[in-house]
Amino acid sequence: MILPNLGMERRDFMKAGAVAGALGGLAGCTGMLDDNSGGQTTNGAPNAHVPPGELDEYYAFLSGGHSGDIRVLGLPSMREIMKIPVFNHESARGYGFDDKSREMLEEAGGYTWGDTHHPRVSQTDNDYDGRWAFVNDKANGRMARIDLQYFETDAICNIPNQQGTHGACCVLPDTKYVIGVGEFRAPIPNDGRDVDDPSEYGSVFAAINPETMNVEWEVLVDGNMDNGDGGKEGKWFFTTGYNSEEGVTESEMTRSDRDMVKAFNIPAIEAAVEAGNYETINEVPVVDGRQDSSLNQGDDPIVKYIPTPKSPHGVSVTPDNKYAIASGKLDPTASVIDIEALDEVSDPEEAIVGRPRLGMGPLHTAYDGRGHAYTTLFIDSQVVKWDIEAAVEAEAMSEDPVVEKIDVHYNPGHLIASESYTSDPEGDWLISLNKLSKDRFLPVGPMHPENDQLIYIGDDENGMELVKDKPSYAEPHDASIVQADKIEPAKVYDPEDIDLEYTGAGDETIERVADDRVEVKMYSMRNEFGFPEITVKEGDTVEMQVTNIEQTSDILHSLVIPEHDINIKMAPQETTKVTFEADDPGVYWMYCGFFCSALHLEMRSRLIVQPED
């Protein structure tokens, strides 16, 4: 894009503006980068350098986008600690290769990829409790649960009647439900009916039980939905929406200059389900929450439709539960919705009590707990800090609530502040997840990395300070930041948590259980497997179960049989099982893929497949 009358590309324009801001910021950043003493930068930000051997203060769970995983960072170092496979296959963990994870992925649709967007951590009393993280699959209409004791995906829910699970968040204060916000309108059920009649399409809001990962109920609404966030008291849940025109082409979807934020009354929906006011579609109770539904005609509607400027994108609830703030995307303002007023006004639009002008392309908002909101400006390539109560008091479209802006590089989408989704944010660090990096890193070809930038927001007097860049693989979206002491990861597995028999030294067995099936149970430890060789027949189904009997943490083993596409990992005290077909006669070396001792190369065994004849 060429900016009029300037004769230069937008990239160069942004870069030039960024240099001016960066030069001032580098005065602080240079001191930080050169000083590993743990002091402060010249602008007052704590040193984000975490020396070797020391640990970070926070876990940050960032979406992996098209990689289908979750990235785990330490903050403030921005060191990437781990990747958690969710909707993808990952050989180092054996994820998608061992029987358990392979079956979980197959039962959740059998897709080969996913698109993770919104990691959310479970809460109790509006504070992170360290039990689970949840994340949506924007591509395939799924929700996954991650066990934060082991940092592993342990359940995936395939959401019926939903295409494109975009928003994901929890019903608080105690994670009663995990909400999947369906984006794409389609016939419901999508079985060939109404394919040529878009007026009959619909999108659904799905409530998932976090314990069972089953869909409890869904709500059918008008228009498309986008992102979502829940109030802190369990009554209201908010989603943004677009395409109130219910079109199927760009021109049809953008005719109107207004769209809707949808406020879901969770107790009223539950009462409708309890009373049987639903239709069962694909084995799920679906409640009619469209505007002309009889359930929306009384004094206690199940969904309130709040008119906003066109195509609002992000929505988030303030830590004190006073407001839900929806960002404009195609409008330079944010809409501040008074949550308490929703129960009092007859016209939901009257609950909008503020509309500050923030800048071009506002998308998502986070909070510091001191009364400030931070919103990404996609077009301006900035993060804007603004005063929430000042926005309520100011005239609509006023810029007075804006406190300051900081340049980011470039085109930010989501952002997250430390513990922003709780009722008591920490208010020190913020990550801006930017869609473009351009010249921030070494060139790697036409596909550039994206850029996660760490910003210090803890000093209201000196202002925001850009601290670090971190490249990321396409295309991350949202994140959650949790104090490290609220999560207690295990160092070794508890065998009681694994639904497989523990096999210690001396307990190993090889048993032919049928003419064409062999079951193996063995252990692994440094330098050896339980059997130096295993003999089966051509055509056998082989079930191989292996226990890592190490007691020392961080001593991983794996069982690798390349010719059979097997690579499963066993952490200390973990038992893993894989089943495969021994189709071809021959000798196949089985070995450990993790360097575990000086005799690592000798840690191997033979799989002998005898010819059928």
Side-chain angles (χ1 to χ4, degrees):
M1 168 182 168
I2 304 295
L3 293 176
N5 304 320
L6 291 181
M8 61 178 173
E9 293 185 1
R10 182 173 179 276
R11 165 186 155 177
D12 298 320
F13 176 79
M14 287 194 305
K15 187 177 177 183
V19 167
L23 287 175
L26 281 174
C29 290
T30 302
M32 179 202 66
L33 294 171
D34 292 340
D35 176 18
N36 292 339
S37 65
Q40 290 188 331
T41 68
T42 56
N43 281 4
N47 196 327
H49 175 74
V50 178
E54 294 189 15
L55 303 180
D56 280 286
E57 185 179 357
Y58 296 99
Y59 288 101
F61 298 92
L62 281 71
S63 67
H66 303 304
S67 297
D69 57 17
I70 294 294
R71 299 175 292 141
V72 184
L73 272 59
L75 252 62
S77 73
M78 294 288 277
R79 298 179 296 202
E80 189 168 293
I81 305 169
M82 182 57 65
K83 289 185 177 181
I84 305 172
V86 182
F87 302 116
N88 56 317
H89 290 67
E90 208 277 317
S91 59
R93 287 193 178 217
Y95 187 79
F97 297 91
D98 65 80
D99 285 2
K100 179 182 178 182
S101 60
R102 182 168 57 196
E103 181 180 1
M104 181 171 62
L105 288 166
E106 288 175 354
E107 290 182 350
Y111 304 106
T112 59
W113 67 286
D115 185 6
T116 55
H117 274 218
H118 302 105
R120 293 289 186 269
V121 177
S122 60
Q123 297 190 35
T124 300
D125 293 331
N126 287 312
D127 195 10
Y128 293 129
D129 57 26
R131 292 180 297 164
W132 298 306
F134 303 93
V135 69
N136 62 308
D137 181 0
K138 166 67 162 64
N140 299 307
R142 297 182 290 181
M143 189 74 66
R145 184 181 70 193
I146 298 162
D147 181 339
L148 291 181
Q149 181 179 6
Y150 296 115
F151 277 55
E152 291 187 345
T153 303
D154 70 353
I156 300 176
C157 170
N158 193 23
I159 305 175
N161 308 315
Q162 191 169 103
Q163 289 190 31
T165 303
H166 193 177
C169 208
C170 301
V171 171
L172 301 177
D174 298 322
T175 317
K176 183 175 186 179
Y177 302 112
V178 182
I179 299 298
V181 180
E183 180 179 1
F184 300 128
R185 299 180 67 249
I188 298 177
N190 194 17
D191 57 3
R193 70 185 71 184
D194 300 323
V195 295
D196 296 320
D197 187 2
S199 67
E200 292 298 320
Y201 295 2
S203 57
V204 298
F205 170 95
I208 302 165
N209 184 316
E211 299 277 353
T212 65
M213 290 299 287
N214 293 326
V215 178
E216 297 289 314
W217 42 259
E218 295 175 340
V219 181
L220 177 65
V221 298
D222 293 316
N224 292 58
M225 288 182 286
D226 201 345
N227 288 275
D229 194 19
K232 302 294 192 288
E233 86 305 334
K235 178 174 182 178
W236 294 105
F237 194 100
F238 300 88
T239 71
T240 49
Y242 65 100
N243 190 24
S244 57
E245 304 89 343
E246 300 190 340
V248 295
T249 66
E250 180 184 1
S251 61
E252 291 173 350
M253 291 188 284
T254 55
R255 289 174 181 166
S256 174
D257 60 357
R258 305 249 280 180
D259 271 309
M260 302 282 187
V261 165
K262 300 171 179 67
F264 293 82
N265 185 331
I266 301 297
I269 296 167
E270 292 175 323
V273 174
E274 182 68 23
N277 293 325
Y278 61 82
E279 179 182 358
T280 300
I281 305 176
N282 290 320
E283 301 182 355
V284 174
V286 179
V287 180
D288 189 350
R290 291 172 293 187
Q291 293 179 80
D292 60 1
S293 167
S294 61
L295 296 173
N296 280 331
Q297 305 309 309
D299 295 332
D300 197 22
I302 64 170
V303 183
K304 290 196 173 187
Y305 289 75
I306 307 169
T308 66
K310 183 66 181 172
S311 197
H313 188 54
V315 62
S316 57
V317 173
T318 57
D320 58 10
N321 198 54
K322 289 181 68 174
Y323 307 110
I325 296 175
S327 302
K329 192 170 79 169
L330 300 181
D331 183 271
T333 68
S335 297
V336 182
I337 301 167
D338 186 323
I339 295 177
E340 187 175 324
L342 276 177
D343 287 318
E344 302 169 355
V345 298
S346 56
D347 180 358
E349 188 173 8
E350 295 176 6
I352 297 178
V353 294
R355 187 166 279 148
R357 185 183 181 92
L358 303 179
M360 298 303 292
L363 292 184
H364 296 280
T365 300
Y367 307 102
D368 63 12
R370 301 187 300 273
H372 301 120
Y374 300 77
T375 301
T376 51
L377 302 176
F378 181 81
I379 297 175
D380 287 341
S381 288
Q382 292 180 317
V383 170
V384 55
K385 174 181 179 179
W386 52 285
D387 187 298
I388 300 169
E389 290 299 337
V392 172
E393 295 170 2
E395 295 290 330
M397 299 294 292
S398 171
E399 296 182 9
D400 292 344
V402 172
V403 177
E404 65 172 312
K405 296 180 180 182
I406 187 170
D407 293 333
V408 293
H409 308 86
Y410 302 92
N411 300 106
H414 281 273
L415 82 170
I416 183 63
S418 49
E419 307 228 330
S420 177
Y421 289 117
T422 72
S423 61
D424 188 21
E426 288 298 312
D428 46 7
W429 299 108
L430 179 146
I431 298 176
S432 177
L433 291 92
N434 308 318
K435 297 303 182 186
L436 304 177
S437 63
K438 299 189 182 295
D439 297 326
R440 303 294 286 187
F441 308 108
L442 284 172
V444 287
M447 184 174 179
H448 296 250
E450 299 193 12
N451 190 3
D452 303 329
Q453 291 190 303
L454 182 68
I455 299 170
Y456 183 65
I457 60 171
D459 190 337
D460 291 332
E461 181 177 350
N462 289 311
M464 295 184 283
E465 182 177 348
L466 176 61
V467 174
K468 286 190 177 183
D469 286 359
K470 181 192 179 299
S472 60
Y473 194 64
E475 179 198 27
H477 287 264
D478 201 1
S480 291
I481 300 174
V482 183
Q483 283 186 321
D485 60 8
K486 294 179 181 177
I487 298 177
E488 298 181 3
K491 293 186 176 180
V492 300
Y493 274 85
D494 182 347
E496 296 296 322
D497 291 337
I498 299 173
D499 191 24
L500 292 171
E501 180 182 349
Y502 185 96
T503 302
D507 299 328
E508 61 274 16
T509 60
I510 301 175
E511 183 179 3
R512 179 168 290 280
V513 297
D515 289 343
D516 60 352
R517 186 177 183 88
V518 175
E519 295 182 356
V520 179
K521 295 180 181 179
M522 66 176 177
Y523 64 88
S524 65
M525 59 183 293
R526 272 166 279 194
N527 311 333
E528 67 179 71
F529 291 108
F531 292 108
E533 64 181 47
I534 297 168
T535 300
V536 299
K537 295 187 301 186
E538 179 185 358
D540 277 345
T541 297
V542 181
E543 179 186 286
M544 199 168 293
Q545 183 173 300
V546 189
T547 300
N548 180 346
I549 63 174
E550 304 279 359
Q551 298 281 350
T552 304
S553 68
D554 205 23
I555 302 298
L556 297 177
H557 297 304
S558 65
L559 179 71
V560 179
I561 316 175
E563 290 81 0
H564 289 83
D565 197 31
I566 291 170
N567 186 0
I568 60 171
K569 78 97 171 76
M570 295 80 67
Q573 298 294 295
E574 180 183 17
T575 301
T576 307
K577 184 175 68 172
V578 63
T579 304
F580 61 95
E581 305 299 321
D583 292 329
D584 298 314
V587 174
Y588 303 97
W589 285 104
M590 305 183 293
Y591 65 92
C592 176
F594 287 101
F595 200 103
C596 54
S597 72
L599 292 176
H600 165 70
L601 294 180
E602 286 77 13
M603 185 175 173
R604 61 176 70 183
S605 178
R606 286 187 303 164
L607 173 66
I608 300 173
V609 181
Q610 296 177 334
E612 187 175 17
D613 296 330

